Amino acid sequence: MNPFTIRSVTHADVPTLFSLIQALADYEKLSDAVTGSPDQLEEHLFGDRPYIEAIAADHAGQVVGFALFFYSYSTFLTKPGIYLEDLFVLPDYRGQRIGKALLTYLAQLAVDRGCGRLEWSVLDWNEPAIGFYKRMGATVLPDWQTCRVTGDALTAMAQQSQNN
């Protein structure tokens, strides 16, 4: 029997979930990129229009890992998908199959919900994660690059339609 359980997050988990997000950002050397708050996270998880879902790995009453995800859509498959935004396990709990349990739970959720895919991104320098994902059966797509527009660039892009 596993010494941990995988479960949906609750309102009470939000402060811990936010601290794990900060720990993930620190691991990825992106601490400065965390500009949100626990209140915003709670609103996006449980508000009138939830944008995200999250599951937690619980060990003896302590959340030691999480996966945060949302729906995507494949026009080619004409099916919804699940996009895994973040998967993180505290360093002291790695190697205990918690990451595998989180990913397997999401795969089953995708199947149960009739999704055509489960996908995510991984930083190219994160060899431990890349190896883990490949062992789990994932294909790391070599020909795809992530595009992102945020902050002032997002505002400028939005204003382009007003200027034409």
Side-chain angles (χ1 to χ4, degrees), residues 2-4 64 88-102 128 132 135:
N2 289 333
F4 59 88
V64 298
F88 182 72
V89 176
L90 288 170
D92 289 347
Y93 294 89
R94 293 182 188 154
Q96 298 180 34
R97 305 176 76 78
I98 294 172
K100 180 178 181 178
L102 287 164
F132 166 69
R135 287 190 303 278

Side-chain angles (χ1 to χ4, degrees), residues 17-53:
L17 181 59
F18 192 76
S19 71
L20 290 172
I21 290 168
Q22 291 172 311
L24 170 62
D26 186 52
Y27 173 76
E28 292 181 344
K29 301 168 182 57
L30 294 169
S31 293
D32 294 343
V34 179
T35 60
S37 71
D39 290 340
Q40 290 170 310
L41 180 63
E42 185 167 26
E43 176 66 24
H44 296 150
L45 281 163
F46 303 110
D48 291 337
R49 184 174 178 191
Y51 292 99
I52 55 174
E53 296 179 59

Side-chain angles (χ1 to χ4, degrees), residues 112-134:
D112 292 347
R113 292 181 181 183
C115 296
R117 63 171 60 149
L118 169 62
E119 61 188 344
W120 61 92
S121 299
V122 61
L123 292 168
D124 61 359
W125 58 261
N126 194 344
E127 291 297 328
I130 292 168
F132 166 69
Y133 295 142
K134 286 181 177 179

